[in-house]
Each structure stands twice: as structure tokens, then as C-alpha cells.
């Protein structure tokens, strides 16, 4: 299987934070969700991928090219959306297209116009009059309009109302249909990723905790809820993370079927990505 | 690069319009003022009024995060800087055009009688605008745009200081420390142009090492 993006041993040290030996890849035709709490290292990872910060060590390959010699031809195939608007507030979407069509040789004006219509973006209004959601939609339209092979989105669905968010997520799913296009989306809205992501990369305190297929995570992970006595009876090896809430113990288990057989009296339920993340971050580990 | 230059001008559009109105007003004022001292100051102001938008341009880039986003575009980082300096050169040229309205009128009204005064206006305006842009932009790139007004004032003072310094250095040739001496004017304008060109290379270096988090 070919990969759109491969990160190996990415390390970046700051005085108060270290992105530590991060490695993961994005198979072509897939959507990878990068999740983690604020300050976990999502943006540092994305910024390193895009060459906006200089990595201390490790290698990053985009569409078969090492980012150390990232040329314009490769950048042409990468679409980027950051949190918030990326464009001068004085521009209108029409003026923006005049700027970008001189920069991207693959700029598709008619597709851009159709995206503006589809997303209800007023073409002649200044960006400074737009709401945060509208600015985000414009950024996404601009990223799609040059037909990238890889889309990198940093908190791209934040600030959007649920209806628009759903439309955007459908656009993402359509985008990866041909198996040649891929998306890396960093987001703290894990419900969005549950809908569209094929793989989940969970980063915490600068380290990758797991990088797994989403379906596998949702299928296998489980939450065991029990009292203190039952918690003491659970083998420590079976506990991924746990936390106590009043008189209830919540235990994250990596294989809920196995746990259900082993602890038949315990109540074990399926978990959401949000719950997995929460227990990893706020829970304790054995 | 065309797109980058276009973006620079779109983001400065409103401020450039204001600069045009001020420059035009100064041109009209010059029609009624006959003193040579005023004519030369009006031309100098017209030449440098557009270059104050350098700070606006960089500040707008930072606020909108365009400065971070443009690095992800299929352009070389050198071209991003080139586009900036070409835009600044166009701003200086706009100043020259507006200053020329005053100069042409002054010539039509009084002939060559105040030619030296007009030349002084051009020399001082060019020194001010080129040195200001050349000092201001790399400084803002390095330390940020939060204090852009202070950086602009410091750059303007440095540009005037450059002329004062050169008039002192050239005293053996001019006979006395005279900031209005033609030699001081020409050497100052050339020095400002050298600062402007050198500033491009400094900015490229700063930009290459800059991190956008």
C-alpha cells in the first residue's frame, strides 16, 4: 500500500515541551485523524510536516518526497487549512481567487466558484465581515480548488455549525473515494473523526500513544464500570487506564470481548474515541 | 510571484488609498504655497507617505496568519521576500509619481528657479522612504509587528540620522556640515538605496530561520 505521508522519529525540543520520536503514516486513500488534548503536540506535528518549524531529528516524506527538499511541485499537491482564516481580511473571495490562481498552476476557477455556491460563501464580501465558520469554509474551498492529493487540516471543523460540519465531512469522504487522495485532520472534535477517519493517531504530551484503525479501536476497546472490590480483582495487565468517579471505577480495556469473558459480572460497554482520549489523559495507568 | 504581489497590494489597498488622498492634498497645497522650503518638504512627504504601509502590510499578514500560510504555497521562500521588496519598490514609485505632480507644477509656475529645492525634495524623500523600508521590514520580521509604530518611528529617525551622519562625514568635501548640500543629498539617496537592497538579503536570512508555530 502506498503512503501519502510518512513520519519517522520526528523530534522537536522546546524548553518546556518535546515532540518525542513521533512516527506514523497516512496510507493513500485514507483519512487519518490526529487527536490529543490542547498542547499535546498536534500543531507542532502539523507545523513540522509543513516545514513551518524546523525539526531536530527524524524524517518526513510527503507523496514520496522528503520534506527537507520540498519543492514547489510537491507543495502544489498539498492543500492546507489552519484553524481560523489564513487570508488577508481585506480580501474578498473573488480577490482571493485572483491571488491563488497566479500561485497554483492547477487552480480550478469553475470548481472554486461552484464550492463558493455550495458552501453559501458570498463572493464579493470582504473576509473581515465573515463569521469564523464562514472563514473556515472559504479556507476549505480554497484548499480544494487546486485539486490537492493530500489535504492537511488543523482544527478545520472547529467553529462550524453541525449542518455545515456534516457537509464538509461529506466533502472529505468524497475526496478520498478514488484512493489517490488522502487527508490528515487534526481535531479535538472526535465525533467528526468517528464519522470520517480510517485511522486515529493519538498524541499525548508529545508522544504517540497509539496509531490504529478507527474501526479496530471502536470494536475492541471497552469501558468497564465497577466498584472498588471488583476493581481490586481486575488484573493490572488488563487495565489500559482507569479513573475513579465518586463510587464508580471506570477502566479502559483494550479487548472488551476478552474482558467480558474474564470478568462476567462486570458491566463492559463500547467506548467512543472521546472516552478513550479522556481516560488516557485524565486517568491513571497501571 | 505575481499572486504574492497582488496579495500584498490587496491587503494594503485601503491604506494606499488614504496615502493617495494625502499625497494629492499635499499636491494641491503646493499650488498655493510659493516658499521653496515648503515645496521641498511636500515632495519629500509625498515620496515617503506610501512606504509607511510596509508596517501595515506585515501586520496584516501576521494578524490573518497569511505569513504562515504563504510558506505552504508552491512558491520559494526567496520569492516571498522578493514579492515584498518589489511591492515596496512600487510604493516608492507611487510616491515619486505623486511628488512629480508637485514638481511639474512648481516648474510650470516658476521655471527652473527652484530646481535645487525640487531636487532636495526628491533626494530627501528617496532617502527617507528607501532607508525606512530597508530598516523597518527586517526589524519587524525579526521582533514582530506588535510594536510596528515604534519601529516605524525609529526607522524614520534612523533615515534622517543617516543624512545627518553623511553630512558630517562629507564635511571635508562640502566645506561645512550642510544637510542640504547636493553631494550630501545624492550620497544619502544612494546609501538609502544600498540599505534597501541589503535589507532584502537580511530579510531573506531572517525569514529562512524564522519558525511559525
Amino acid at each position: 500500500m502506498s503512503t501519502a505521508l510518512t513520519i519517522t522519529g520526528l523530534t522537536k525540543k522546546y524548553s518546556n515541551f518535546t515532540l518525542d520520536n513521533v512516527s506514523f503514516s497516512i496510507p493513500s486513500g485514507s483519512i487519518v485523524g490526529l487527536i490529543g488534548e490542547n498542547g499535546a503536540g498536534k500543531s507542532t506535528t502539523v507545523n513540522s510536516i509543513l516545514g513551518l518549524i524546523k525539526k531536530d531529528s527524524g524524517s518526513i516524506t510527503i507523496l514520496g518526497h522528503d520534506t527537507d527538499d520540498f519543492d514547489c511541485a510537491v507543495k502544489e499537491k498539498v492543500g492546507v487549512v489552519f484553524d481560523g482564516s489564513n487570508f488577508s481580511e481585506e480580501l474578498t473571495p473573488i480577490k482571493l481567487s485572483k491571488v491563488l490562481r497566479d500561485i497554483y498552476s492547477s487552480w480550478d476557477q469553475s470548481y472554486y466558484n461552484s464550492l463558493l455556491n455550495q458552501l453559501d460563501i458570498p463572493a464579493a464580501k470582504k473576509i473581515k465581515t465573515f463569521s469564523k465558520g464562514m472563514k473556515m469554509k472559504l479556507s476549505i474551498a480554497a484548499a480544494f480548488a487546486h485539486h490537492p492529493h493530500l489535504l492537511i487540516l488543523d482544527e478545520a471543523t472547529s467553529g462550524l455549525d453541525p449542518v455545515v460540519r456534516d457537509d464538509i465531512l461529506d466533502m472529505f469522504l468524497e475526496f478520498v473515494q478514488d484512493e489517490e487522495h488522502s487527508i490528515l485532520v487534526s481535531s479535538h472534535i472526535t465525533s467528526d473523526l468517528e464519522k470520517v477517519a480510517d485511522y486515529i493517531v493519538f498524541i499525548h504530551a508529545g508522544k504517540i500513544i497509539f496509531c490504529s484503525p478507527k474501526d479496530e479501536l471502536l470494536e475492541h476497546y471497552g469501558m468497564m464500570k465497577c466498584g472498588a472490590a471488583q476493581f481490586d480483582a481486575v488484573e493490572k495487565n488488563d487495565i489500559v487506564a482507569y479513573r475513579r468517579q465518586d463510587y464508580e471505577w471506570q477502566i479502559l480495556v483494550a479487548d472488551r470481548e476478552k474482558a467480558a469473558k474474564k470478568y462476567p459480572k462486570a458491566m463492559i460497554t463500547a467506548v467512543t474515541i472521546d472516552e478513550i482520549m479522556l481516560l488516557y489523559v485524565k486517568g491513571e495507568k497501571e | 510571484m505575481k499572486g504574492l504581489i497582488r496579495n500584498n497590494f490587496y491587503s494594503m489597498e485601503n491604506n494606499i488609498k488614504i496615502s493617495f488622498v494625502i499625497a494629492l492634498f499635499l499636491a494641491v497645497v503646493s499650488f498655493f504655497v510659493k516658499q521653496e522650503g515648503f515645496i521641498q518638504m511636500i515632495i519629500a512627504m509625498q515620496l515617503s507617505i506610501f512606504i509607511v504601509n510596509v508596517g501595515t502590510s506585515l501586520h496584516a499578514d501576521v494578524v490573518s496568519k497569511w505569513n504562515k500560510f504563504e510558506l505552504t504555497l508552491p512558491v520559494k521562500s526567496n520569492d516571498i521576500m522578493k514579492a515584498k521588496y518589489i511591492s515596496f519598490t512600487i510604493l516608492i514609485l507611487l510616491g515619486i509619481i505623486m511628488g512629480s505632480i508637485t514638481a511639474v507644477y512648481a516648474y510650470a509656475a516658476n521655471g527652473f528657479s527652484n530646481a535645487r529645492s525640487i531636487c532636495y525634495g526628491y533626494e530627501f524623500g528617496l532617502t527617507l522612504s528607501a532607508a525606512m523600508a530597508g530598516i523597518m521590514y527586517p526589524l519587524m520580521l525579526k521582533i514582530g509587528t506588535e510594536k510596528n509604530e515604534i519601529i516605524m518611528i525609529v526607522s524614520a529617525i534612523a533615515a534622517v540620522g543617516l543624512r545627518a551622519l553623511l553630512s558630517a562625514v562629507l564635511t571635508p568635501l562640502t566645506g561645512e556640515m550642510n544637510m542640504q548640500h547636493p553631494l550630501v543629498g545624492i550620497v544619502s539617496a544612494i546609501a538609502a538605496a544600498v540599505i534597501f537592497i541589503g535589507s532584502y538579503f537580511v530579510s531573506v536570512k531572517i525569514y529562512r530561520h524564522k519558525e511559525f508555530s
Side-chain angles (χ1 to χ4, degrees), chain A residues 2 4 26-31 176-183 198:
Chain A
S2 65
I26 303 177
S28 295
S30 67
I31 300 177
V176 295
Q177 282 306 305
D178 64 359
E179 302 287 317
E180 277 185 12
H181 297 121
S182 318
I183 300 178
D198 299 299

Side-chain angles (χ1 to χ4, degrees), chain A residues 18-81:
Chain A
T18 301
L19 190 69
D20 191 7
N21 201 25
V22 165
S23 301
F24 67 91
S25 61
I26 303 177
S28 295
S30 67
I31 300 177
V32 172
L34 181 62
I35 62 166
E37 78 277 20
N38 288 339
K42 301 190 296 291
S43 291
T44 307
T45 305
V46 169
N47 290 338
S48 300
I49 294 168
L50 295 169
L52 299 171
I53 55 175
K54 283 154 190 70
K55 60 187 188 311
D56 293 332
S57 60
S59 71
I60 302 167
T61 309
I62 294 182
L63 303 168
H65 296 79
D66 196 302
T67 52
D68 286 341
D69 20 77
F70 211 16
D71 62 13
C72 294
V74 183
K75 284 183 171 180
E76 182 93 32
K77 293 176 186 168
V78 180
V80 180
V81 179

Side-chain angles (χ1 to χ4, degrees), chain B residues 48 50-56 58 85 88 91 128-145 147-156 158 195-196 199 203 206:
Chain B
S48 50
F50 289 90
I51 212 68
V52 295
N53 295 305
V54 168
T56 317
L58 188 57
Y85 276 80
F88 302 156
L91 289 178
L128 203 59
S129 53
M132 255 176 83
I135 296 166
M136 190 162 50
Y137 190 73
L139 265 180
M140 283 187 188
L141 207 55
K142 183 74 184 170
I143 62 178
T145 60
K147 293 174 181 164
N148 62 352
E149 285 91 359
I150 294 170
I151 294 173
M152 197 171 75
I153 292 164
V154 168
S155 307
I195 288 172
F196 184 71
S199 157
S203 295
I206 294 170

Side-chain angles (χ1 to χ4, degrees), chain A residues 224-232 234 243 245 247-251 265-267:
Chain A
M224 186 192 289
K225 290 177 181 174
C226 59
Q230 204 168 21
F231 175 76
D232 290 337
V234 177
R243 70 171 177 170
Q245 283 206 314
Y247 297 104
E248 183 186 79
W249 295 80
Q250 296 178 341
I251 305 169
K265 287 181 185 171
M267 186 177 76

